[in-house]
Amino acid sequence: MPSRESSAAYLRHVGDLEGNAGQQAAYNSCGHCVVLAGPGSGKTKTLVLKLARMLAEDVRAPRGVACITYSQECARELGRRLEALGLRDAPNLFIGTVHGFCLRHLLMPYARFAGIEVPDPITVATTRQIETTFTRVAENLLGINQPYRLHHMGKYRRVHLDRDLPDWMADPDLARITIGYERALRDAGLVDFDDLVIQGNRLVNDNDWVLPVIAARWPILAVDEYQDLGLPLHRIIHRLAFDGGVRLFAVGDADQSVYGFTGADGGLLLELGQRDDVECVRLQLNYRSAGQIIRASELALGEARGYRPHDPARQAVVAFVERPGGLKDQAAHVVDNLIPEALAEKPGRTLGDIAILYRAAPVGDLFADALAAAGFDYIRVDNAAPYKKVGLTSWIEDCAAWCSGGWRRGRPQLTGLIQRWTGFRSGRVSEIEERRAARVVTEFLFRHRGDDTPAAPFVAAIRAELVDPLSAAEPSLADQREQVRRMGVAFAPEGRLVDLDLSSLGGRDGSPQHVNMLTLHSAKGCEYDVVFMVGMDMGAMPWAKESEAELSESRRLFYVGLTRARDAVHMLYSGWTIDRYGRVRRLGRSSFVEELEVRLKVEGI
């Protein structure tokens, strides 16, 4: 339990909200509240201070506040912010993904009593098990050349929740595949991540008795990036808040809803904010970007939002760069000219202040080769990354950050690392087990402190002594165990990261010494001084033959890219692309780029 002094530490930061009516309204809200937060509007700061206030003033342990996030990295960032307030290790605070919340606080304690069909113990299938099960079932039903992919079934399951309604048979083949796939997983004693949320929705919506039980434990529920979380969570939230008496604090931006291919729907957030019993607050002051970038992003979106810069005097660069030689020409120009110019433009600017954003991982391959040839280090976050960011891999990275100097600065905090470690265990952890875990983790970390030591021996040691034994004993960590294995491969001899040092491993989510390479999807939530949006050509941004809904989502993705920049955004294009058959397609530059340049000229920007 945090001390009274640390619990009140948030009060020293409340003054940061002065002068921002939207942030103050969100902070002072007493009932259900939806915060519509534009890019760079201080959303995370507002959410963190609100969480701290609700923990200190509105609940008393063991009752608490649960904060659900879209991704592991969102949870990680919130945890870091709360660590600074001394609240990350509060026992009555949950910060984690929707899957983690459904697993640990819905299904594990209540599924058996409600007759929900999940294995006991709940074992999450690995990525490989999921893929092979889907392929086997789909091919058995429809033949070896069947047209569906795993993501088709995933979206279908997340959108069609009511299987007793005619809507469930909108696509009979996908419905059959889904039923066969789920049956095959159950026969193997497994669930997947979608099961956790889908079954969590069934638990909450089909069982009135569970509502007061959940409300007794979690009387307040906060949701970050609400627009990305989809219909199953929306139904869970709706039921808990408006039937179960749980107080809701939701934050998001429908304009940054870019996961429609997974079933996410930004309209659900807007629908929530329009209810009469919900206070809707808008954050419109942008602390990140200079005015030209804010205006350019609104023009790109095609809708006025009334966003304004915190510092109207700041100037920015919005540049359109044609490189007719294709992606390799773009990469050479970025590496040889634009990066050196960006570093020279502002004293103290480092490679970590620069990002290269692209639509798909193969584009990243070309830029990674160019950066490596020029001697620039880089951090890459896309499907070509050697391992995914999950709870265990992020914890290993943060342990590396602590060992490589973080212990001097108190970031990350040792208590937070220990609390996260014990949180990986399913079921209740006794005080004796907590003390033992604290001792084991502390001893390990103190033995491995060192600023410039190689990361590979550290990864091998933390796996052997801590992570592998735990993940082998916890069925719910099966999928994470696969990512830890991939991490080990990356740091093995001849692995892609074998030469990485401990400090760089600890900074793999953002390091001053590394150019940041991200897909546009991965860049959401990030910010940089200078952004290079590359491959901005028709056929790639947007893709060829997109539906109206897909085109709208691509436009929002383009908007996300623009709004990552503080000082400068450069859009690079060639006017042609190469399709998957190796054919050159000369479709011109992106229609989004074309429209934006015309609109900026009309406005004289």
Side-chain angles (χ1 to χ4, degrees), residues 358-495:
Y358 41 88
R359 187 75 185 266
V363 176
D365 294 338
L366 291 171
F367 282 81
D369 291 342
L371 288 167
F376 288 122
D377 289 329
Y378 61 88
I379 295 293
R380 186 169 181 181
V381 182
D382 58 32
N383 290 336
Y387 58 88
K388 292 180 181 178
K389 296 295 186 79
V390 296
L392 284 173
T393 57
S394 292
W395 184 77
I396 292 172
E397 291 175 357
D398 285 346
C399 286
W402 190 90
C403 289
S404 60
W407 60 275
R408 299 189 189 96
R409 302 182 296 273
R411 296 187 61 187
Q413 292 181 357
L414 179 60
T415 53
L417 292 173
I418 293 169
Q419 192 273 340
R420 286 164 61 190
W421 173 248
T422 57
F424 289 125
R425 299 177 183 273
S426 59
R428 192 172 186 85
V429 180
S430 69
E431 290 186 14
I432 294 175
E433 290 173 322
E434 284 185 352
R435 288 196 294 270
R436 181 183 179 279
R439 185 182 70 255
V440 169
V441 170
T442 302
E443 290 176 352
F444 177 90
L445 295 179
F446 270 85
R447 289 202 315 272
H448 289 84
R449 288 186 299 175
D451 294 339
D452 300 317
T453 57
F458 173 86
V459 171
I462 200 169
R463 285 190 62 194
E465 296 184 37
L466 299 176
V467 175
D468 287 356
L470 172 70
S471 61
E474 290 287 343
S476 63
L477 297 176
D479 186 68
Q480 295 195 44
R481 186 164 65 244
E482 171 65 16
Q483 298 308 319
V484 172
R485 184 195 66 80
R486 294 184 182 185
M487 186 183 210
V489 170
F491 284 96
E494 309 302 325

Side-chain angles (χ1 to χ4, degrees), residues 223-294:
V223 184
D224 190 21
E225 301 290 358
Y226 196 101
Q227 75 281 351
D228 293 332
L229 290 165
L231 185 59
L233 177 73
H234 180 68
R235 289 195 176 182
I236 292 172
I237 296 299
H238 197 281
R239 177 84 159 134
L240 292 176
F242 305 117
D243 295 330
V246 173
R247 177 177 161 193
L248 174 65
F249 188 83
V251 181
D253 181 7
D255 292 331
Q256 296 185 65
S257 178
V258 293
Y259 291 100
F261 58 90
T262 70
D265 181 358
L268 299 175
L269 174 66
L270 299 179
E271 173 189 310
L272 198 63
Q274 291 169 356
R275 289 182 58 105
D276 292 336
D277 52 356
V278 172
E279 180 182 0
C280 186
V281 175
R282 295 181 181 272
L283 304 186
Q284 294 182 293
L285 190 61
N286 188 313
Y287 294 89
R288 176 189 303 156
S289 303
Q292 293 98 323
I293 293 174
I294 295 171

